[in-house]
Amino acid sequence: MTDLRSELDRQRGTERAQAIRALLARPLLTRAADPDDFFLVARHAAELVPWFDEHTGWRLSVEARQGYARLAKVSARPDGTRPARRLRGNQDPFDRRRYALFSVLAAELLTGQVTTIGILAGRLAQATAVEPAIPTFDSASREDRRAYVDALLLLERFGVLTATDGSTDAYLEHADAKVLYRVDPTRLARLLAAPQSPSRLPGPDLPALVREDRYDDDADRLRHSLVRRLLDDPVVYFDELPEAERAYATGAPGRRAVRAAVEEAGLQLEERAEGMLAIDPDAVATDERFPAENSVPGQTALLLLDSVLAAHPEPVPHAALAEQIAARFAELPGWARTYRSDGGAQRLLAEALAVLERFNLIARSENGIGARPAAARYAAAPAAGAKTPRPRRAR
Amino acid sequence: MSDARPAFRRVPADMFAFTTTERSDLHTAVMQVFGEAAERLRAALTFDEVLAGLPEIGWYEPVSDESLEYTLGALHKHGLVDRAQNHAAHYASAAEYERRNLHYSLSRKGEAAYQGLLHALDLLDGSGALQTSVLDAIAARLGELDALLGDEGADDRRIHTALAELEGHLTELRSGVVRFTGRLQRLLRDEGTDPAVFQELKQATIAYLTEFVTDLDTRRLTVAEAVARVEEHGVEALHARALRGADLPVLPGQADPAPRFLERRATRWAGLRDWFRPADGGRARVEDLSDTARGAIVSLMRALERFSDSRRRGSSPAADFRALARWFSAAETDEAAHELWAAATGLWSARHTHLAPDDPTAVGPGTSWFRAPGVHVSPLLRTHGQSDRVSRTARVRDTTEIREQRRQRALRERLELEEAWSRLATPGPVRLSAFARLDQGSFSRLLELLARALTVPARDGERRASTADGRLVVVLLPPPDHHLAYLRTARGVLVAPDFIVSISESRPGQAAPVPLRTDFRREATA
C-alpha cells in the first residue's frame, strides 16, 4: 500500500529542492521574470528561510506580495568569473564603466517613486560631475548612452525599475526618448548583500566588505563556509581549503552536514580523495554547462582537457595546446570558422582554457597547463575500438 | 502707471537687462556710481565724473573711454540713463565738446532698477527671519496711532510718520516671512550637505521656531486689539490726517497726488487687517504663519530623526551605492570589478556540472578522481560538439509532468482505498461467504484486513484489528460450523473457513482498536 503521507512528503521535498536550486541560480528571483520558480519559492518560503540560514548562513527574504525573493549570497572569496551581464546582444559582461553607472543610478533612484529616462540621465550627469573619481556621464556620447541603457535594463530585470510608458532601448538612438519609470526603492536597497556597508569603509577593500561578524561559533562558520562552496562552486578541492575547513570537511560531522545540505537541494554529492563536488543532473543551478553542446570553446575545452590529462602529472606547455588547435584548424577546414580570423586561434585557446578554469579543472603554472583532479571525470572512455563517426562540419 | 494692471505686466522688459549682458559688471558698476552720487544729492554726472566715480565704488580696473561710452550708450538705450546737454562745462576743444558735452543721470526706470538691484542683493545676502520684534513694533505703532487719534490737538505730521513706520514694519514682516519660508524649504530639501552642519542648523532652527511660536498667539491678539482700537477712530480719519501730515507737493502739470496716496494707504491697511484681523472674520494670515512654523518644526524633527537613524545604521543605501560607484571606477581590471560586484550584491549564479557517474557508489570516498570511474561524455561532443546528432539541443528533463503524474496516482490510490473500504463495511456480523463476489481491489483490501485480524491473538475467541490509520475495525469470530466460504474474483477463487466477519468504521467512544505491533507488516509478509 502506498503511504499517502510519505508520498506527499517526497513531493514537497522535491519541490523544495527545486526551489533551492532556483535560488542558487538566481539569487534575486522575480515573479515577472521567472513566475514558476518564484511561486515555488513563495510556497515553500516558511521552510526555505530556515534552511538557508541553517546550512549556509545566507539570509533569504521572500516578498510574496511584492513579487520577489532575494537570497543574499555572501562569499569570503567572491568570484570574478560570474559578472553582471548586459541584456542586449552577446550578453557581454559589464565593464567598470557600466558597474559605476549602475551604482550611481541606484543611488539616484532611491529618492523618488516615478521618473523618466531624461531626468535620470540629467541626474546621472550631475552626480558623476561632482564625483572626481567617476568620469562624467555625457548623454551626447553614444558609448555612454549604451552603458546607461545596459544599466537601466539590468535594473528593469531586477524589477527595481518598471517602464510604464515607452521602451528603454529607444534611448540608444535618441537622448530625448521618452520613457516613464516606476521605481521600487525597497527592492533597490535589497540589491546590496555585502555584510558591511561600503560607505563605512575608508576605501575599496574587498576582504573588509565581505567580513561577517555574525559568527561566534566556529562549527557554524566552518559548516556554512563549506556548504556555501559546495552549493555554489563546480568543485571543492581539499587542498584549496584553509586548514580548519579541510579538517572539518574530511571529518565525519562535516561530511554528514555537507551531504544533508547537498541532497536536500536535490544535488548529488561526489566525494573523492582530493575533494568533493555537487552534481546538478537537471543543470538548473548553474550559469553554464560543461561539457557544453554547440559551443566551439566548449568542444575545444574538452579536446584540450584530453591532452592535459594524457600528460598528467606533467603540465602541458601553452604552445603545445596552441599547436593542437592549429593542427585541428588544418585538419578540418570547415571547423570553428568564426575563429579563423587574425589571432582567432589564440582567442579560442584563451576561451577554452577559461571554460576549464571556471570549472576548476586545470591549474596554470610557469611550465604550462596541468590537470586538477576532477578533470579525470571527463577523460575519454578507453577506446572501445568503435569507429568514430566522420566529423561533420561544425560552425 | 496704473495700479490696475498686475505686477507681472508692469515690469519693463529691459529693466534689468544691464545685469545679464556680457559686460554686466561694468554696466552694474556704472549704475552704482549713479546711485551713490544720488545719495549725495548729485543728480547728473558728466562722462569724466562717471569715470572718476568708478574707483570710489571699488572698480579699480582701467576702463577705456570707448567701453565706458558704449556702456553709457547701452544704459541709455535701455531707458535707464537720461542724457542732457551740459552747458555749464568748459571745453578746450571741439573734439572734447563733441565727446563730453553730455550730462548723464538716472531715469525713473533707472532708479527703480537700481533700487530693485539693491533689494535683490539684500535678499540674497540676508538669511530671512521671523522676528517677534517686528510684531512688537507693529503693536507699538498701532498704540501710538490710537493715542494720537484720540488727541485732537496732535500733530498730523506725527501721525504720518507713525503710519509710515507701521507700514514699514508690515512690509518687513512680509518680506521676512517670504525669505524665511524659502530658507525653510531649502533646509528641508537639502540633505546632502555636511551632516554636522546640517544637524546643527536644523536644531537651531527648531529652537528658534519653537520660541517664535510660543509667544506668537499673545502677540497676535495684542496687535488685533490695537487694530480694533485704531479702527474705532475711523481709518479714513486716520488717513486724512496722515495726508495732511505728509504735506505732499503738488507740482504743476502733474496729477494731484492725494487720491493715489489715500488709495495706497487703504491697500496697506487692508493688508494689515488680512494679517491680524480679517474683515470677514476669516482666518488671519498670522495664524497660517504659526501653522507653517509648527509644521516646519515637525518636519525638521523628522529629518533629524531620519538623519540619526541613518547614522545609527552607519550609512544609507544611497551612500553605499555612491561608495561602490567610486570603487568600481577605481578598479584596476574588469575582473576586479566583477569580484566587487559579486561581493557587494551576491547576485551570482551557482555553477555545477550536470554529468553524474553511472554508479555513484562504485568507489569509496577515499578514492582518487584519477582512479575512480568517470562520467559518460558523449564521444560526439569531442568530434562534433554535440552529444546527439538528431536533436541539436538536449531536452531538459521536465519534472513537473512526473510530479503531476505522481500526485494523480496518489490521489487515485487514495480514492480507491476509500471506495474499497466503504464497500467492505458490513451492516453487522456476517459470514465471510456473504462477500461472495468481489472486484480485485476490494478483494486485496479484504485479504489485508483478514491478515491483520488473523495475526493478533484471539481473546475469548474473538480477533480484533484495525487498519493502519485506525479507520476500519475488523472483528473475526471462528466459524461455528465447518462450512467453507468460496470467494470468487476475476483472478480465481479463495477457499477459506467461513468466518463470521464484522467490518465497521471505528467511531470515537468505541473501544480502542487493538494496538498493532510495529513490525506487523514484516511478519505478515514473511
Side-chain angles (χ1 to χ4, degrees):
Chain A
M1 186 171 67
T2 310
D3 193 333
L4 188 71
R5 174 154 301 167
S6 67
E7 172 61 26
L8 284 173
D9 279 353
R10 192 159 56 238
Q11 190 183 324
R12 283 191 75 81
T14 315
E15 283 194 3
R16 205 164 50 231
Q18 271 192 320
I20 291 170
R21 277 176 293 160
L23 282 166
L24 289 176
R26 287 179 301 279
L28 178 58
L29 199 55
T30 66
R31 182 169 57 207
D34 307 281
D36 292 350
D37 285 334
F38 170 74
F39 285 117
L40 202 59
V41 169
R43 254 201 319 279
H44 296 277
E47 289 144 329
L48 290 174
V49 172
W51 191 89
F52 275 109
D53 185 55
E54 189 205 327
H55 291 289
T56 64
W58 285 335
R59 190 167 34 84
L60 170 66
S61 11
V62 182
E63 304 289 347
R65 276 160 186 272
Q66 269 79 48
Y68 69 94
R70 173 74 163 111
L71 178 66
K73 279 190 179 182
V74 180
S75 167
R77 23 171 290 290
D79 187 345
T81 71
R82 308 184 212 193
R85 291 189 175 273
R86 307 175 200 182
L87 298 171
R88 303 181 298 123
N90 293 342
Q91 311 259 305
D92 286 340
F94 265 42
D95 50 17
R96 280 163 282 178
R97 178 77 174 138
R98 281 172 170 77
Y99 282 128
L101 287 184
F102 181 95
S103 309
V104 179
L105 207 47
E108 292 302 316
L109 283 171
L110 277 162
T111 52
Q113 305 274 323
V114 174
T115 187
T116 72
I117 202 164
I119 293 176
L120 268 181
R123 299 187 61 165
L124 199 53
Q126 284 168 5
T128 48
V130 298
E131 289 280 5
I134 304 170
T136 303
F137 172 74
D138 177 9
S139 61
S141 140
R142 210 178 159 71
E143 189 40 51
D144 266 13
R145 283 215 302 277
R146 270 203 287 270
Y148 177 47
V149 164
D150 283 327
L152 285 172
L153 289 176
L154 192 59
L155 284 164
E156 280 187 63
R157 163 66 58 86
F158 294 146
V160 167
L161 282 182
T162 315
T164 50
D165 181 40
S167 153
T168 305
D169 286 322
Y171 197 81
L172 292 174
E173 295 309 317
H174 312 283
D176 56 355
K178 299 276 175 275
V179 187
L180 184 66
Y181 292 112
R182 206 177 57 237
V183 187
D184 183 342
T186 55
R187 211 183 281 208
L188 192 51
R190 282 266 163 83
L191 285 185
L192 293 172
Q196 306 293 333
S197 265
S199 58
R200 294 187 71 186
L201 300 171
D205 185 349
L206 220 53
L209 187 62
V210 296
R211 197 191 68 233
E212 287 173 275
D213 300 329
R214 56 171 275 173
Y215 295 109
D216 36 47
D217 185 351
D218 241 18
D220 273 357
R221 194 177 56 74
L222 292 173
R223 186 176 81 251
H224 287 172
S225 171
L226 191 60
V227 171
R228 283 175 188 182
R229 293 184 68 147
L230 264 171
L231 290 180
D232 237 15
D233 293 351
V235 53
V236 176
Y237 294 114
F238 294 139
D239 64 4
E240 286 178 347
L241 296 176
E243 178 55 42
E245 279 184 45
R246 186 177 348 157
Y248 181 78
T250 48
R255 283 179 180 245
R256 235 188 346 264
V258 160
R259 182 168 285 280
V262 166
E263 284 178 357
E264 279 166 31
L267 305 167
Q268 289 176 28
L269 183 65
E270 184 166 293
E271 293 177 90
R272 295 289 180 258
E274 302 92 339
M276 303 187 242
L277 62 82
I279 303 156
D280 180 10
D282 303 324
V284 172
T286 187
D287 57 346
E288 70 171 311
R289 285 162 175 250
F290 182 81
E293 296 190 30
N294 300 316
S295 146
V296 173
Q299 185 188 1
T300 313
L302 207 49
L303 294 168
L304 297 182
L305 195 61
D306 286 343
S307 317
V308 173
L309 275 170
H312 184 79
E314 293 303 316
V316 181
H318 203 268
L321 295 176
E323 274 167 31
Q324 190 186 347
I325 290 180
R328 195 168 165 89
F329 273 176
E331 188 188 337
L332 303 169
W335 182 73
R337 272 199 293 259
T338 49
Y339 291 91
R340 298 269 170 164
S341 55
D342 232 15
Q346 277 304 319
R347 198 169 78 240
L348 179 55
L349 175 61
E351 286 182 24
L353 289 178
V355 169
L356 294 174
E357 266 187 329
R358 285 201 291 272
F359 279 88
N360 208 346
L361 301 176
I362 54 167
R364 291 179 199 248
S365 66
E366 283 167 21
N367 303 327
I369 315 293
R372 296 290 276 140
R377 303 178 87 232
Y378 307 99
K387 196 173 66 172
T388 49
R390 234 186 97 72
R392 201 177 54 168
R393 286 182 170 196
R395 298 203 298 141
Chain B
M1 236 184 277
S2 161
D3 277 355
R5 282 192 298 152
F8 55 83
R9 292 204 193 284
R10 280 190 279 137
V11 182
D14 49 359
M15 185 147 147
F16 297 105
F18 70 95
T19 62
T20 55
T21 64
E22 274 174 39
R23 295 159 168 260
S24 64
D25 44 357
L26 182 58
H27 288 6
T28 312
V30 169
M31 289 294 281
Q32 200 184 341
V33 169
F34 282 115
E36 304 259 319
E39 277 179 22
R40 293 195 297 267
L41 298 180
R42 292 185 59 188
L45 298 176
T46 64
F47 185 91
D48 292 325
E49 282 167 339
V50 174
L51 203 55
L54 280 170
E56 282 173 32
I57 58 138
W59 180 286
Y60 301 116
E61 291 156 53
V63 176
S64 70
D65 286 0
E66 287 75 31
S67 75
L68 181 60
E69 206 144 357
Y70 174 86
T71 296
L72 286 168
L75 293 175
H76 177 66
K77 206 174 76 204
H78 290 145
L80 302 171
V81 166
D82 284 338
R83 274 203 298 221
Q85 288 291 325
N86 179 13
H87 299 291
H90 299 283
Y91 304 106
S93 70
E96 196 179 331
Y97 177 79
E98 287 269 302
R99 194 158 64 83
R100 304 195 171 171
N101 66 340
L102 293 174
H103 249 159
Y104 297 90
S105 62
L106 281 185
S107 68
R108 226 154 114 87
K109 192 163 131 190
E111 270 174 48
Y114 182 62
Q115 290 300 327
L117 189 73
L118 291 184
H119 193 59
L121 288 175
D122 194 27
L123 284 184
L124 281 177
D125 294 341
S127 60
L130 298 175
Q131 288 167 330
T132 45
S133 62
V134 177
L135 292 174
D136 291 340
I138 289 176
R141 293 289 83 76
L142 281 167
E144 192 184 339
L145 281 174
D146 178 33
L148 287 168
L149 285 169
D151 177 5
E152 283 298 325
D155 188 356
D156 286 344
R157 287 170 197 275
R158 190 70 205 102
I159 291 188
H160 174 241
T161 40
L163 186 61
E165 278 175 34
L166 174 65
E167 287 180 355
H169 291 315
L170 184 63
T171 312
E172 199 183 327
L173 173 70
R174 290 165 66 158
S175 64
V177 167
V178 168
R179 268 186 276 172
F180 187 76
T181 320
R183 193 167 71 105
L184 208 55
Q185 285 306 314
R186 284 193 293 281
L187 193 61
L188 288 173
R189 195 175 50 224
D190 191 24
E191 306 211 352
T193 45
D194 178 19
V197 173
F198 170 80
Q199 195 171 21
E200 205 175 307
L201 197 59
K202 280 194 178 166
Q203 254 155 7
T205 311
I206 288 175
Y208 174 68
L209 277 175
T210 316
E211 198 188 308
F212 176 74
V213 165
T214 314
D215 287 334
L216 188 60
D217 280 348
T218 349
R219 288 197 167 85
R220 178 170 64 87
L221 285 176
T222 315
V223 174
E225 279 164 17
V227 169
R229 275 201 303 278
V230 171
E231 284 189 338
E232 274 170 30
H233 299 287
V235 181
E236 269 144 38
L238 165 70
H239 288 162
R241 288 185 71 175
L243 178 60
R244 280 204 298 281
D247 200 9
L248 292 175
V250 180
L251 301 171
Q254 279 197 8
D256 180 10
R260 187 165 154 72
F261 177 87
L262 290 174
E263 194 189 323
R264 297 193 82 166
R265 298 288 83 71
T267 318
R268 294 282 169 91
W269 192 263
L272 184 69
R273 296 198 54 142
D274 274 355
W275 269 91
F276 297 100
R277 198 163 174 269
D280 49 4
R283 201 174 150 74
R285 281 176 65 185
V286 69
E287 284 182 56
D288 289 343
L289 188 60
S290 66
D291 283 359
T292 311
R294 288 200 177 91
I297 293 176
V298 173
S299 347
L300 283 172
M301 303 220 329
R302 280 212 196 102
L304 274 178
E305 223 167 85
R306 251 201 328 275
F307 174 80
S308 44
D309 259 10
S310 68
R311 203 160 61 165
R312 206 176 311 131
R313 258 204 328 273
S315 58
S316 70
D320 283 346
F321 278 122
R322 289 206 182 89
L324 280 179
R326 285 190 292 273
W327 293 21
F328 276 126
S329 294
E332 278 174 12
T333 60
D334 278 348
E335 171 143 333
H338 297 329
E339 283 176 17
L340 178 56
W341 169 258
T345 66
L347 283 168
W348 68 79
S349 164
R351 184 176 298 148
H352 294 296
T353 182
H354 56 287
L355 296 181
D358 292 335
D359 181 4
T361 58
V363 296
T367 316
S368 161
W369 259 306
F370 288 106
R371 270 183 291 282
V375 296
H376 176 73
V377 180
S378 165
L380 287 170
L381 268 177
R382 285 183 166 82
T383 52
H384 293 79
Q386 291 168 23
S387 60
D388 189 339
R389 301 194 67 175
V390 186
S391 69
R392 287 185 66 88
T393 50
R395 232 166 65 88
V396 178
R397 207 174 65 187
D398 186 3
T399 50
T400 45
E401 198 179 322
I402 296 169
R403 277 184 292 130
E404 180 58 22
Q405 281 172 1
R406 275 192 200 151
R407 203 175 65 83
Q408 293 289 353
R409 199 173 67 217
L411 271 175
R412 208 165 51 237
E413 282 170 1
R414 179 86 222 178
L415 276 176
E416 279 174 12
L417 203 62
E418 298 269 341
E419 207 184 299
W421 281 344
S422 66
R423 244 177 285 149
L424 287 175
T426 59
V430 296
R431 298 296 283 255
L432 186 56
S433 51
F435 286 101
R437 209 176 172 85
L438 284 169
D439 63 88
Q440 188 62 35
S442 308
F443 177 71
S444 48
R445 308 283 168 226
L446 179 63
L447 273 188
E448 194 189 311
L449 284 172
L450 294 177
R452 282 183 178 230
L454 285 169
T455 46
V456 299
R459 273 201 227 157
D460 306 332
E462 182 186 285
R463 293 166 197 269
R464 176 186 279 269
S466 64
T467 49
D469 61 0
R471 276 196 50 200
L472 286 186
V473 176
V474 56
V475 180
L476 215 57
L477 288 167
D481 42 34
H482 294 289
H483 281 185
L484 290 175
Y486 293 86
L487 297 189
R488 287 174 179 76
T489 73
R491 297 215 185 143
V493 181
L494 170 81
V495 185
D498 200 3
F499 287 102
I500 295 172
V501 190
S502 162
I503 300 173
S504 59
E505 282 190 67
S506 69
R507 285 178 212 93
Q510 245 186 348
V514 176
L516 285 172
R517 279 165 29 222
T518 45
D519 55 351
F520 154 74
R521 202 200 277 265
R522 208 175 331 126
E523 268 187 17
T525 48

